[in-house]
Amino acid sequence: MTSYLAIPGIVLGIALVISGVAAIRSGWVFRWQRRHVQRPAVFGWAQLVVAAGLFLQAGSLLADDSVVRSAVSLAGLGVMLAGLLVSVGAQMSKRAR
């Protein structure tokens, strides 16, 4: 349908994949997030989940059938919501044992 609308989602998804892999492998997060993120590896997985949701959203724009487009778009929204919840969990303080 309109592939030019999918390009910003794909670019943002690629950026999230890069920063998510960096957070998982080395614990690196952006400077403005360092104060809030308590578990960088979990935060990296959250970024990868949100990137997958963005890729689903971008892929839904390329579908011809409106039912398929709506279903894939809704699935992408659900995946992004799951990534948001994981991200919130990564920002919660660690529990003392």
Side-chain angles (χ1 to χ4, degrees):
M1 181 176 132
T2 54
S3 61
Y4 66 90
L5 292 175
I7 293 172
I10 292 171
V11 170
L12 183 60
I14 291 171
L16 281 173
V17 166
I18 292 169
S19 65
V21 169
I24 291 170
R25 289 184 50 94
S26 66
W28 180 85
V29 293
F30 288 112
R31 180 176 296 185
W32 60 84
Q33 295 173 329
R34 288 186 188 140
R35 184 174 45 142
H36 303 289
V37 175
Q38 301 293 320
R39 297 178 194 94
V42 176
F43 190 73
W45 283 108
Q47 287 180 327
L48 291 178
V49 171
V50 171
L54 281 172
F55 291 143
L56 279 173
Q57 288 278 326
S60 71
L61 292 173
L62 301 176
D64 290 332
D65 189 18
S66 65
V67 175
V68 172
R69 187 180 316 122
S70 298
V72 173
S73 180
L74 187 61
L77 181 65
V79 170
M80 284 193 288
L81 181 61
L84 175 67
L85 293 176
V86 174
S87 175
V88 169
Q91 293 179 16
M92 295 176 73
S93 64
K94 296 178 181 177
R95 295 183 184 180
R97 293 183 186 194

